[in-house]
Amino acid sequence: MDVHQPGKCGGHVCLPGASEQTEKCPRFCGVPISASKPTLPNLAVELLRRHHLEALQRLEAENAALRAQLAAQKCASCCEAHEEKPSAGELSLTVDPPCVVPEAVDGTFSAWSSALCSPPVQLRIIADDVSMTLTVHKAVLQRSPYFQARLAEHWMRESAGLLPLRLPPGCPASAASLVFRHLYVQEKSTPGGLARSGAQLRLGDATVAIGAQQLAEMLLLEDLAEELSRVATSLLASPEEARRLQERFVSLPPQLTKVCQAVQRSPAAELRAEELALMLRGSAGSAPARPQAQAVLAACAEAGAPQACREAVISALEALPFKIPLAPDKGVDKVRINRAAFEWLWDLAEDYVLVTEIPSNECSNACGRSLLPFFTGLARAQELHSSPRCPNELFDDTAEPVRLAFGAYLQHLAILQQCEELNQAFRLGAAKTVKSPVIHRSQTCTIHYPNMLHFGLWPASQNLLPRLLQAPAARAVVLSSLLELPAEALAELVTDALLEALGADAVVVCNILAKDPNVLASWATCKRLLALPLLAQRRLCACLAPSLGSLSQDIAQVVVQVLAGNSDMDSKHRVEEDVVSRHWWRALWLLISVLLIAMILRLSRVSDVV
């Protein structure tokens, strides 16, 4: 039995003869070995051999890295020996190549050996802020097409000593250091080269990045210039820095110019109408948030986006963030309005929607989006169920500001003479119900939708309708809308003030009232009959004659006088005087009666005491 050395075959026990149970040594000798397991001493020898090989490989790699670093430092020391000391008061900057990282073993910076061994070139950097001397290897400079031509032999013969390099206007001297540091590690200007060159650019260094970009353009490094323009855009830290960039440099890259303009304009201009509407909806119910949201909206309008502000305000109103249903224990048939929230939103609507001066380029857009859908939705917001088991949704007295806002909207349309929209809005206010009744899914209840904005529900509408008739264009629209109403609805709207504002047009309105004698009898008063023209008086009095017995004494006397032909101005004044005197006599007799009763009671108390 032969035992091989551990260095050759790992301590196997080899047999002189081979059999079916044996196999040959797979390492060196080819002698058959025993099929039995190796002994413990042989395993220890094998582990030692493996650790030895791993340590040997690690040491060889470290030695290679140290040799490469030593070569780089030797070249750097040679470059420092050729550097010229600057004169007094001048800054000297020598670009040292960065330390070789372990990737150099793999040949990542394989061109360094030729670049660092090339002759150094003394550059005299002349900037607006400072002048300095840079020592850069010729092979590194020749990576720029600009220096390829400038370092040609016929040019180098004429220049002696320092090679001057005038930087573009506004370019700082540190920008030149950034560009040459990039050239040391990049054979070609490729995207991402700034990160590999170890450039430490932070927020606020946009001036250095723009200066390096302009210098790269001068050196015909287009890829590097494009990358620096993108980097400069991301380094802007404040609007003041953007303003300083525009003042310092003659021209900026197009991408950075747009960013500077947007920064000066205001970031609020980039908000869309949907985002502004969500902001207003969320801020309507919070008192501390309202001034902040209003400030953002004002900044957006000043930045040149009034149309977005207008759409945002209308969208916020249509969302009804001021509608507050009451708790079930307080009664479910009433819906309350948060007056503070609505009044704040309506103030915004008056500032951004109800404006009388609209730019010509926005006139079409402004006419396309109006407040009519908002008020139409409010008119349909109430629900009145016929079954007592179904909860109703009716607004309480807090709805008065909403109705006043509707009146302001109508006056705005009359001022701008938007006749078509005014016609639709006036019909909306004149209708008692906007939506037809529907049958509830229970089939036992009918849902009605009373119009919350109906003119007859709020007293302020009595003064609103006469003011609408003052505008010539709105007068025709309002009059045509009134004539389309039935007699019952018209009688509810025609008040003394409206009758006086109609003037000569009151005749056609009274003709519609005369079609229903019952409605006319309930509408007619002495003052209204006497305020009408003569022909209208005779027409109405003729219609009231059949029901003369059911009329009051005052109205009956006016009807008799008009039908008897005594309807001149003197008769009018006499009737008015008779009515006034009759009222005075009634008041006088009432006062005398009160005094007599008081005296009788006093006398009775005196007699009781006696």
Side-chain angles (χ1 to χ4, degrees):
M1 180 182 299
D2 297 331
V3 180
H4 295 268
Q5 297 296 328
K8 290 186 176 181
C9 50
H12 293 287
V13 180
C14 300
L15 300 179
S19 62
E20 296 179 358
Q21 288 81 14
T22 61
E23 57 181 359
K24 293 184 178 180
C25 179
R27 297 201 177 259
F28 298 99
C29 60
V31 180
I33 61 175
S34 173
S36 62
K37 295 182 179 179
T39 60
L40 290 176
N42 295 335
L43 286 175
V45 173
E46 179 68 19
L47 291 176
L48 289 174
R49 187 189 65 81
R50 292 180 181 177
H51 286 302
H52 172 72
L53 292 177
E54 292 177 357
L56 184 62
Q57 293 176 358
R58 185 170 60 255
L59 290 174
E60 290 177 353
E62 293 177 357
N63 289 335
L66 290 174
R67 291 191 190 95
Q69 292 180 7
L70 182 60
Q73 292 177 0
K74 185 179 296 185
C75 291
S77 61
C78 294
C79 295
E80 292 178 358
H82 291 83
E83 181 182 359
E84 180 181 351
K85 293 185 179 180
S87 58
E90 294 184 355
L91 175 64
S92 175
L93 177 62
T94 302
V95 177
D96 297 330
C99 296
V100 179
V101 293
E103 285 84 358
V105 178
D106 300 332
T108 304
F109 302 115
S110 58
W112 272 25
S113 58
S114 59
L116 298 178
C117 294
S118 62
V121 178
Q122 300 292 327
L123 289 179
R124 186 62 176 174
I125 305 299
I126 304 172
D128 296 337
D129 53 354
V130 70
S131 298
M132 65 179 184
T133 302
L134 284 180
T135 302
V136 188
H137 294 87
K138 182 177 180 181
V140 175
L141 292 177
Q142 287 180 341
R143 291 173 180 171
S144 164
Y146 172 85
F147 281 107
Q148 288 179 6
R150 191 167 180 182
L151 294 177
E153 294 184 0
H154 62 279
W155 289 108
M156 292 301 294
R157 294 195 197 100
E158 298 177 1
S159 62
L162 297 178
L163 183 64
L165 179 64
R166 178 70 184 182
L167 301 185
C171 179
S174 55
S177 175
L178 175 64
V179 172
F180 293 125
R181 186 181 297 274
H182 172 79
L183 290 178
Y184 260 98
V185 297
Q186 289 294 119
E187 297 183 22
K188 295 181 180 180
S189 299
T190 56
L194 290 177
R196 295 189 57 188
S197 62
Q200 299 296 328
L201 292 176
R202 299 179 178 85
L203 286 178
D205 291 344
T207 303
V208 179
I210 291 300
Q213 182 264 342
Q214 296 191 356
L215 178 59
E217 286 186 348
M218 188 182 78
L219 301 181
L220 303 178
L221 301 173
E222 298 179 356
D223 295 337
L224 178 60
E226 183 178 357
E227 184 178 0
L228 284 168
S229 63
R230 291 194 300 267
V231 172
T233 304
S234 62
L235 293 178
L236 282 176
S238 63
E240 289 76 12
E241 186 179 6
R243 179 179 53 80
R244 289 196 300 268
L245 287 177
Q246 291 180 327
E247 294 177 354
R248 178 164 185 165
F249 295 98
V250 178
S251 63
L252 295 175
Q255 184 178 4
L256 188 62
T257 302
K258 295 179 181 179
V259 174
C260 292
Q261 292 175 354
V263 167
Q264 292 179 353
R265 185 175 55 185
S266 175
E270 300 178 0
L271 294 176
R272 297 176 300 174
E274 296 81 3
E275 297 171 343
L276 292 173
L278 291 175
M279 178 191 68
L280 297 179
R281 288 170 54 184
S283 304
S286 175
R290 292 169 195 159
Q292 301 172 358
Q294 190 171 0
V296 174
L297 196 67
C300 183
E302 292 177 359
Q307 180 63 23
C309 297
R310 185 182 301 114
E311 294 180 0
V313 173
I314 295 176
S315 300
L317 284 170
E318 291 176 352
L320 303 181
F322 47 83
K323 178 181 176 183
I324 306 176
L326 295 180
D329 54 347
K330 297 182 180 180
V332 292
D333 11 76
K334 294 295 182 181
V335 179
R336 185 169 58 89
I337 287 180
N338 187 349
R339 297 188 61 170
F342 174 76
E343 289 175 356
W344 177 70
L345 285 174
W346 186 250
D347 289 341
L348 297 180
E350 290 180 345
D351 294 337
Y352 297 100
V353 182
L354 302 183
V355 290
T356 56
E357 295 181 1
I358 301 177
S360 58
N361 56 348
E362 297 184 2
C363 183
S364 59
N365 296 332
C367 297
R369 185 68 184 265
S370 67
L371 289 168
L372 184 60
F374 161 65
F375 287 110
T376 304
L378 272 179
R380 301 177 179 179
Q382 296 190 121
E383 291 185 4
L384 181 61
H385 295 257
S386 60
S387 174
R389 295 177 297 178
C390 297
N392 300 323
E393 290 188 5
L394 300 176
F395 287 90
D396 58 3
D397 296 337
T398 58
E400 190 65 21
V402 178
R403 294 165 178 163
L404 295 177
F406 180 61
Y409 166 64
L410 289 174
Q411 294 183 38
H412 171 72
L413 295 178
I415 294 174
L416 293 185
Q417 299 183 2
Q418 297 182 6
C419 300
E420 183 178 356
E421 187 174 350
L422 177 62
N423 186 19
Q424 299 177 9
F426 189 85
R427 290 181 180 180
L428 178 65
K432 289 186 175 182
T433 58
V434 180
K435 189 176 180 180
S436 302
V438 296
I439 304 298
H440 195 264
R441 60 177 178 272
S442 62
Q443 301 296 325
T444 59
C445 175
T446 304
I447 305 177
H448 298 270
Y449 300 92
N451 185 6
M452 182 182 64
L453 303 177
H454 180 53
F455 292 133
L457 297 179
W458 39 301
S461 63
Q462 298 179 3
N463 299 326
L464 169 66
L465 299 183
R467 287 198 297 267
L468 294 179
L469 293 174
Q470 295 177 2
R475 182 181 181 88
V477 175
V478 174
L479 184 60
S480 62
S481 300
L482 288 174
L483 297 179
E484 295 176 358
L485 297 176
E488 183 178 0
L490 185 60
E492 189 177 2
L493 299 181
V494 179
T495 60
D496 296 344
L498 181 62
L499 197 64
E500 182 180 358
L502 285 172
D505 296 328
V507 178
V508 292
V509 175
C510 293
N511 291 337
I512 297 178
L513 294 175
K515 295 180 180 179
D516 192 337
N518 297 328
V519 173
L520 180 60
S522 61
W523 173 82
T525 61
C526 294
K527 185 177 181 180
R528 291 175 180 176
L529 291 176
L530 296 176
L532 294 173
L534 178 60
L535 295 179
Q537 286 183 14
R538 293 182 176 182
R539 173 67 186 277
L540 296 184
C541 291
C543 295
L544 291 174
S547 57
L548 188 63
S550 61
L551 298 176
S552 63
Q553 185 178 359
D554 301 338
I555 298 177
Q557 185 177 358
V558 173
V559 171
V560 171
Q561 290 179 357
V562 171
L563 294 180
N566 300 327
S567 59
D568 53 357
M569 295 302 296
D570 294 336
S571 64
K572 292 181 182 180
H573 291 304
R574 284 198 303 271
V575 172
E576 291 178 357
E577 291 176 358
D578 292 341
V579 172
V580 172
S581 61
R582 188 161 49 251
H583 288 309
W584 275 106
W585 279 110
R586 288 178 182 176
L588 181 60
W589 281 113
L590 181 61
L591 179 60
I592 294 173
S593 302
V594 171
L595 293 175
L596 289 175
I597 293 172
M599 293 176 62
I600 293 172
L601 292 175
R602 186 177 181 82
L603 291 175
S604 61
R605 291 178 182 176
V606 172
S607 61
D608 292 340
V609 172
V610 174

